[in-house]
Amino acid sequence: MTGAILSINSGSSSIKFGLFETGDGHVQYAAGGKLEKIGISPRLDVRDRAGDVIATREWVGKADLTHETLLEDLFGWAQEHLPHRPIAAVGHRVVHGGTGFTAPVLVDEAILQQLEGLCALAPLHQPHNLAAIRAIARLAPCLPQVACFDTAFHAAMPDVATRLPIPRKYGEQGIRRYGFHGLSYEYIAQALQEAHPALAGGRVIAAHLGNGASMCAMHGGRSVDTTMGFTALDGLVMGTRSGALDPGAVLHLVQHMGLSAAEAEALLYRESGLLGLSGLSSDIRTLHASDDPHAAQALESFAWSAARQAAGLCVSLGGLDTLVFTAGIGENDAAMRAAIVDRLGWLGAALDEDANRRHAAVISSAQSQVNVLVIPTDEEVMIARHTQRLLAGSG
Ligand code: ADP
């Protein structure tokens, strides 16, 4: 297949995208960027291969512009950007594939309806992922579209890592651990294999620390355990999500403190985590800049929960050889990386302070018994690779 692939990662208030040229079985980044502040004051930034901004557009105060209208604009830009390489397919990040979808799939109406049935499992993400597919289908009905699932990378986890300790009949109905951020972890596994093949075969924890945060235990490049479970709520303290908490606390909030199911959902997904603990912000930069003691406590909880979850994953790996930090916080926040690694000192993990400050590729000290790396993630290229492979196979 030659032509271009557009990767779309559509969220509630932003759409990340990448445009890739294809050829010789490979994809090459041509341009990409982010449409953000949807629902407030949308803004589009496009960067080229060198990272230079090549287009910006602002819709100041246009809070009523829908995802669909903005996607139309984005799709128009993508069609014009590579005039000699027409768009051959669009690949999408779709958060939940349930038990039925364990590999990327060419989307048709029947599949779209099955995926819509999974919206309740990822209410914050899945509806936006699927709305983007529908929007592109309306603009270009004959264009192949591929859904790439965040759950797929974890599909082969050992059985024990997928079970929830509740009556078996619920497990049989799909109430089990799935895991998320799979496109990011798959990218990290491939990047690690390219840069450090000796480490890629070992016991690795990848820490995807963004607004959503999780960790994945990988052995030989495959997921063997992960911190998110049935939904993307479990595991680490996140920007606005609680992470792991006693299910009894949720029952108590609903049964004795008057929260409706919808209010409990809003509390757990949108009002908790760093935002809930600090009462200030879900953005870690704002918390670092604040002298409010609640901001410091929120940061402490984030580091504590990350280190505690990493220690739990060591059980599934039988130890730890390599820890990889990625995503917004993992790639950029040296102080948070240090706070987490410090709490893992008993494993023999230690940082080279200067390398950490510089966000170097390897940030562990020469004496450290755990290799600590920083690898920028790239979910969009992973989507493009899957889309290209699937179409090449079916073409
Ligand atoms: P999302 O899950 O929405 O893709 P990101 O991966 O962009 O999120 O991560 C967002 C988080 O990363 C925010 O808490 C933000 O403060 C943090 N972050 C982004 N850039 C930096 C930076 N340069 N320094 C410190 N933190 C950063």
Side-chain angles (χ1 to χ4, degrees):
M1 182 178 77
T2 54
I5 290 174
L6 178 63
S7 292
I8 292 182
N9 180 352
S10 180
S12 58
S13 66
S14 73
I15 299 171
K16 291 182 192 165
F17 59 93
L19 185 62
F20 297 83
E21 295 176 35
T22 65
D24 299 336
H26 293 287
V27 299
Q28 194 183 23
Y29 181 84
K34 204 171 182 182
L35 240 168
E36 53 194 340
K37 292 191 174 172
I38 302 172
I40 308 167
S41 194
R43 179 189 167 92
L44 171 71
D45 281 299
V46 187
R47 289 176 187 272
D48 65 8
R49 214 169 270 157
D52 295 324
V53 176
I54 52 170
T56 24
R57 194 154 171 214
E58 266 189 280
W59 294 264
V60 180
K62 293 267 185 192
D64 56 340
L65 276 182
T66 60
H67 278 64
E68 186 169 356
T69 312
L70 292 163
L71 265 172
E72 201 172 315
D73 216 76
L74 175 60
F75 191 62
W77 164 82
Q79 281 176 313
E80 283 165 19
H81 186 68
L82 297 173
H84 305 300
R85 295 226 180 210
I87 295 178
V90 180
H92 296 262
R93 175 185 179 207
V94 175
V95 163
H96 220 304
T99 46
F101 297 97
T102 56
V105 65
L106 200 57
V107 178
D108 59 22
E109 181 56 36
I111 285 176
L112 209 44
Q113 282 180 21
Q114 287 179 56
L115 297 177
E116 274 163 356
L118 298 170
C119 281
L121 304 189
L124 219 59
H125 300 99
Q126 191 93 340
H128 297 292
N129 305 155
L130 302 183
I133 299 179
R134 287 216 180 272
I136 299 288
R138 274 191 288 272
L139 293 171
C142 297
L143 193 64
Q145 297 200 73
V146 173
C148 304
F149 302 100
D150 253 343
T151 44
F153 187 63
H154 307 292
M157 283 195 301
D159 240 25
V160 65
T162 69
R163 254 176 254 142
L164 286 174
I166 55 174
R168 221 160 245 289
K169 64 175 180 183
Y170 296 109
E172 286 156 10
Q173 291 170 58
I175 315 293
R176 42 156 279 185
R177 302 185 75 246
Y178 292 95
F180 299 89
H181 286 140
L183 291 164
S184 175
Y185 293 130
E186 195 176 5
Y187 176 83
I188 297 294
Q190 293 183 6
L192 191 63
Q193 177 64 41
E194 276 166 31
H196 305 276
L199 302 185
R203 299 165 299 180
V204 177
I205 291 178
H208 179 111
L209 310 180
N211 281 317
S214 74
M215 290 181 174
C216 177
M218 301 193 277
H219 209 169
R222 291 164 178 270
S223 171
V224 295
D225 195 0
T226 189
T227 58
M228 285 177 170
F230 175 58
T231 67
L233 263 187
D234 203 2
L236 281 76
V237 167
M238 303 179 220
T240 63
R241 284 174 251 167
S242 62
L245 85 173
D246 180 351
V250 183
L251 288 177
H252 187 85
L253 287 164
V254 172
Q255 290 173 333
H256 301 291
M257 299 187 74
L259 267 70
S260 66
E263 285 166 341
E265 179 184 282
L267 176 108
L268 296 171
Y269 277 97
R270 300 193 187 94
E271 299 161 12
S272 295
L274 293 174
L275 174 64
L277 284 168
S278 67
L280 202 65
S281 174
S282 62
D283 192 304
I284 210 156
R285 286 169 289 195
T286 310
L287 302 185
H288 280 302
S290 166
D291 53 12
D292 185 329
H294 292 161
Q297 279 183 6
L299 293 170
E300 185 186 33
S301 287
F302 188 94
W304 176 80
S305 107
R308 194 162 174 259
Q309 294 281 335
L313 293 179
C314 289
V315 173
S316 294
L317 289 169
L320 182 63
D321 302 311
T322 303
L323 173 63
V324 181
F325 284 103
T326 194
I329 296 168
E331 291 166 28
N332 299 297
D333 189 339
M336 183 51 72
R337 287 193 301 253
I340 294 168
V341 173
D342 196 43
R343 287 171 185 273
L344 296 172
W346 54 273
L347 275 173
L351 291 186
D352 175 325
E353 277 180 30
D354 180 53
N356 185 39
R357 208 174 305 120
R358 287 186 286 108
H359 313 298
V362 178
I363 58 171
S364 40
S365 69
Q367 296 74 35
S368 181
Q369 289 165 44
V370 176
N371 303 288
V372 188
L373 312 182
V374 178
I375 301 181
T377 194
D378 193 340
E379 290 159 304
E380 285 72 39
V381 79
M382 216 50 246
I383 294 168
R385 285 177 192 165
H386 280 307
T387 303
Q388 200 260 347
R389 234 171 270 149
L390 196 104
L391 292 191
S394 68

